[in-house]
Amino acid sequence: MYRTTFYSLRRLMLCLSFLFVTTALPEATAHLKRAAATAACFSDDFADGNASNWSPLTPSRWEVSYDAGSLRYFLNTSTYDSPDGIRMGELSLLKNRTWGDFTFSCVAKSADAPQGNSDADLCVAFGYQDADSYYYINFNTIAGFTQLHRIHNGARVTLATHHQRTFVDGLYHALRLERSGNQIRAFFDGTQILSAYDSFFSAGQIGIGSYNDSGYFDAVSITEPNCAPSELFTDISAALAGVAPSAVAWGDYDNDGNLDILLTGETGSGPTTKVYRSNGGSGSFTDIGAALPDVRNGAVAWGDYDNDGDLDILLTGNAAPSSQAGKLTAAVFKNDRGKFVDIYAALIGVHFSAAAWGDYDNDGDLDILLAGFSTVGEVTKIYRNDGGKFTELQAALDGVSHADVAWGDYDHDGDLDFLLTGSGGAYEISKIFSQRSRQIYRYSRAIARRARRRHGVGRL
């Protein structure tokens, strides 16, 4: 807020303005939805309960707190002031990133305006170089006090002024800031309110805060012309074995609430199969030394086939190095207090394969669908689970390798159908098989084309 001697006049203006304030802002919601439809380089809705992406000037003044049914980033006090009457009194910066050309958006609510503070404000900082050099926009209750400023070495230059009021109520409003080259534009609830040209600062950090008030921020999103996947996801250096060709799956095998990893594939020195236990969700994983066959060209799937409350393993693949003749595998391993034990399920061994659990007969236990290249050629098999014993279902299915399979009730009749893709030798297929009864599957739709046999099909 900016201090002025006309306090009583501003209080009168505030009271009059409340006569025209509605109880909802559909425009803010609409503009937020449109922003969410654009892929963001960065976004934060604070739904995980923390603000780990942010670096506040004064940590005790910031918290993630519920408001209006959602978790928000809350600047929780107004018992502070600008240090020099020029700079923002409090801000929180996005960590480890600078932004040149960008579009910033968020929703924000003043916590002071509904309490009768007639010069309440919230701010967005950008081009941040250091505590004495940055731009900021002050969205303010007072007409003429919503302004774009440039701060540098103890001096403030006002680059643009909006002569209408902004935060005048206790509702959430959509803020947006765009910078392209030397053009800077600011929007409030979808309407442009400020525009200026300035290139004094180039790329810098982005932050949120206030001159000396409190408020809530949420649904922060930043896009730029060249958003890249590497800006969205970061390698956590988990020290897993490198494998290719490969198969992986997440599953909480030890029921500690953290996802563990099952992977298999060729390492370059031979095939491998590993289970990595998550160490408390910290980003580190430990190889548990599971007694599983090392395979390549395989498939993996977690599933509780015996309904004892912990995840077991379905594994297929070739247990021989790529330079040797094949030893084809398809097996179920029971989770016995964290140790995996082969139950000798008598499944046909396959590689260039796919496998999936699914309760096709609705009897409450998981059955098996697998496909791949076996010692007798391409096969696709379904195995019924009867109390932990697996029996092959006699179903006339296309045999495929280089396969993928997926269960799903596409026709909403209450039982599982399945999708099958792969190479049938001279054909490459994609087919849906619909369950007519719990014993028979029929071909429902196919996309097939004549193709040369893929390199390696038929080789062990």
Side-chain angles (χ1 to χ4, degrees), residues 4-43:
T4 175
T5 58
F6 301 106
Y7 180 76
S8 58
L9 176 61
R10 296 199 310 275
R11 291 294 296 270
L12 176 61
M13 292 171 64
L14 178 65
C15 293
L16 291 173
S17 71
F18 272 103
L19 297 175
F20 301 96
V21 174
T22 62
T23 59
L25 274 177
E27 264 306 294
T29 303
H31 286 290
L32 180 58
K33 287 180 178 178
R34 285 196 289 272
T38 303
C41 293
F42 171 84
S43 62

Side-chain angles (χ1 to χ4, degrees), residues 297 316-318 327-329 348-354 370-380 399-403 423-425 453 456-460:
N297 300 325
T316 69
N318 188 340
K327 181 182 178 183
L328 304 186
T329 297
I348 188 169
V350 287
H351 70 157
F352 299 107
S353 51
L370 64 79
F373 199 90
S374 73
T375 56
V376 296
E378 294 92 349
V379 297
T380 299
V400 295
S401 64
H402 292 87
S423 173
R453 180 173 292 187
V457 174
R459 294 185 180 179
L460 300 181

Side-chain angles (χ1 to χ4, degrees), residues 33 90 144 148 166 197 230 242 255 259 293 322 369-370 401 417 420:
K33 287 180 178 178
E90 185 58 51
L148 167 61
T166 51
Y197 291 86
S230 60
N255 289 327
L259 288 175
S322 57
L369 170 62
L370 64 79
S401 64
D417 315 298
L420 174 68

Side-chain angles (χ1 to χ4, degrees), residues 137 146-148 158-162 177-178 182-187 192-198:
I137 295 175
T146 292
Q147 296 176 313
L148 167 61
T158 299
L159 302 174
T161 298
H162 177 57
L177 170 63
E178 297 178 358
N182 63 352
Q183 184 180 34
I184 302 167
R185 299 193 299 163
F187 299 76
Q192 181 176 310
I193 60 172
L194 294 170
S195 180
Y197 291 86
D198 192 85

Side-chain angles (χ1 to χ4, degrees), residues 14-86:
L14 178 65
C15 293
L16 291 173
S17 71
F18 272 103
L19 297 175
F20 301 96
V21 174
T22 62
T23 59
L25 274 177
E27 264 306 294
T29 303
H31 286 290
L32 180 58
K33 287 180 178 178
R34 285 196 289 272
T38 303
C41 293
F42 171 84
S43 62
D44 199 344
D45 61 4
F46 309 101
D48 58 1
N50 70 67
S52 59
N53 294 309
W54 300 83
S55 177
L57 177 66
T58 311
S60 63
R61 295 173 180 167
W62 293 87
E63 62 185 87
V64 177
S65 177
Y66 274 100
D67 184 68
S70 295
L71 286 168
R72 323 279 188 171
Y73 197 26
F74 182 31
L75 175 51
N76 59 25
T77 181
S78 56
T79 58
Y80 65 93
D81 211 335
S82 168
D84 51 14
I86 293 175

Side-chain angles (χ1 to χ4, degrees), residues 252-271:
D252 183 12
Y253 84 91
D254 53 0
N255 289 327
D256 66 350
N258 301 304
L259 288 175
D260 311 300
I261 296 170
L262 170 62
L263 67 77
T264 185
E266 177 69 52
T267 65
S269 58

Side-chain angles (χ1 to χ4, degrees), residues 56 78 164 219 243 255 338 376-377 393 432:
S78 56
Q164 303 295 322
V243 286
N255 289 327
V376 296
L393 177 68
I432 299 169

